[in-house]
Amino acid sequence: MSTYTPQDNRKVTTRRLAEMKAAGEKIAMLTAYDYSMARLIDEAGMDVILVGDSAANVMVGYQTTLPMTLDNMIYHAKCVTNGVKRALVVCDMPFGTYQGNSLEALASAVRIMKESNAEAVKIEGGEEIIDSVRRILSAGIPVMGHLGLTPQSINKFGTYNVRAKEAAEAAKLKSDARLLEEAGCFAIVLEKVPATLAAEVAAELTIPVIGIGAGGGCDGQVLVMHDMLGINSNFKPKFLRRYAELGEAIENAVGNYINDVKSSDFPNENEQY
Ligand code: KIV
C-alpha cells in the first residue's frame, strides 16, 4: 500500500504542473517502461511518468541509449499508458528521430502521440534542436526539454560526468533553458549539473525544472525506476537514493523457488488440483 496520497486526484496535465511550480509544490517524476510497473507507480501517486530511452540500458541491456528506435519507444510508451490513469505520461524521442530536420521531428512526435497515447514528448538539447522543438509545439504536442548531461550525446562528451561546471558551458545551458521556455516547452529536465546552477535556472524560469543529479533547488526530481528500486544494483552514483533493494529481494525469492522445486517442497497438497 502506498504511503503517499495525492491532494488532487484529477489527471495530471501540463497546466497542473505549471500550477504546482507557481504554488511551490514539488513535482515527482519516475521512469517506467511496462504496464505492470506503470500501474503501480501511478497508483502510488506519481505526478509524471517518463518512458525514458533509458529503457535501452535497463530493459534491453544496451551500453548507451543510441540504439533505441521509434518503434521501440512507441511499444514501451503504449505498455505504460495502458496502466496509467492519473500521471502525465511523457515519452522520450529516441536518438536520430528529431535532430537535423524539423519535419521529420514532427512526424516522429506525431507517431508517438497517435500510436502510444503518451501526452508529451521529451527531447535532448537546446539551440541545436530548437527548430524541431518549435515545429512539434506548433502541432499542439507538449515538449519537455532536457539539458546538462544528455546521454544521446555520449559519443561527443566521452563520459557521463557532471556537465556545465565551466562558466562557458553553464552560460550556454542557461541560454538554452531560456530558449526552450520561450519556444513554449512546458518543463525542462536538468541532468547531472551543479546544484547552484540548477537552482539559478529554476529560479529564473517560470516553467518547472525537474532535476536528476541537479540538487534540491529544482522544482521536482526524476529518477530511473530500476536505479531507485535497487534492481540495477551495481549503479551507485552520488545523486541516487535507493528506496528498496528489489534486486536482492528478487534473487532471494527466485533462489527459494528453485530450492523448493528441486526439493519437491513445491507444489504441496494445497497447491494442486
Ligand atoms: O531516459 C531517461 O530515463 C531520462 C531520465 C534520466 C531523465 O531521460
Side-chain angles (χ1 to χ4, degrees):
M1 220 189 5
S2 173
T3 54
Y4 171 76
T5 311
Q7 294 161 2
D8 189 337
N9 266 323
R10 284 173 302 170
K11 178 91 183 99
V12 180
T13 58
T14 55
R15 177 191 280 254
R16 172 83 190 105
L17 297 182
E19 289 167 2
M20 288 169 81
K21 161 124 184 175
E25 189 186 335
K26 295 274 186 178
I27 297 165
M29 171 162 145
L30 189 63
T31 66
Y33 317 95
D34 70 285
Y35 165 79
S36 300
M37 292 304 292
R39 189 174 56 78
L40 291 173
I41 291 168
D42 187 49
E43 283 173 1
M46 193 60 59
D47 297 314
V48 184
I49 296 183
L50 171 66
V51 186
D53 61 356
S54 50
N57 313 112
V58 297
M59 300 300 290
V60 192
Y62 291 136
Q63 291 302 308
T64 75
T65 56
L66 274 69
M68 289 306 274
T69 65
L70 198 54
D71 285 342
N72 293 158
M73 291 309 300
I74 289 169
Y75 170 77
H76 285 291
K78 183 76 206 119
C79 297
V80 166
T81 58
N82 283 345
V84 171
K85 291 198 175 90
R86 178 180 171 276
L88 180 83
V89 178
V90 181
C91 180
D92 258 337
M93 294 190 64
F95 176 67
T97 64
Y98 59 89
Q99 299 95 338
N101 179 335
S102 67
L103 285 175
E104 252 179 54
L106 175 59
S108 310
V110 165
R111 272 202 64 201
I112 289 175
M113 302 298 282
K114 266 186 187 289
E115 296 177 39
S116 79
N117 249 350
E119 293 151 318
V121 296
K122 177 164 81 60
I123 307 190
E124 294 182 9
E127 194 191 353
E128 315 74 26
I129 51 118
I130 202 69
D131 288 346
S132 296
V133 170
R134 291 200 181 107
R135 180 79 74 171
I136 295 168
L137 284 163
S138 75
I141 300 173
V143 177
M144 176 180 267
H146 184 156
L147 299 171
L149 175 62
T150 46
Q152 292 177 13
S153 302
I154 181 59
N155 293 310
K156 179 173 144 199
F157 296 150
T159 77
Y160 287 103
N161 290 346
V162 178
R163 303 300 313 175
K165 282 161 91 176
E166 309 298 330
E169 196 181 339
K172 159 111 170 69
L173 185 144
K174 280 184 171 179
S175 125
D176 280 343
R178 276 181 222 119
L179 206 57
L180 290 170
E181 172 167 84
E182 281 160 22
C185 287
F186 71 94
I188 294 178
V189 166
L190 285 188
E191 180 165 355
K192 255 188 150 180
V193 298
T196 45
L197 173 64
E200 282 167 22
V201 175
E204 188 183 329
L205 298 194
T206 57
I207 57 172
V209 172
I210 317 279
I212 172 163
C218 296
D219 305 303
Q221 299 293 325
V222 56
L223 286 175
V224 170
M225 181 246 294
H226 289 64
D227 301 340
M228 63 85 86
L229 292 180
I231 297 171
N232 204 6
S233 43
N234 292 328
F235 185 63
K236 293 177 181 164
K238 182 179 177 188
F239 70 79
L240 177 65
R241 187 178 293 180
R242 288 252 275 262
Y243 288 84
E245 295 299 339
L246 289 197
E248 210 177 294
I250 290 169
E251 278 189 26
N252 285 339
V254 172
N256 288 339
Y257 166 66
I258 297 170
N259 277 332
D260 289 353
V261 170
K262 302 264 180 207
S263 64
S264 300
D265 181 75
F266 176 79
N268 64 26
E269 279 179 9
N270 297 325
E271 292 164 329
Q272 61 194 16
Y273 300 101

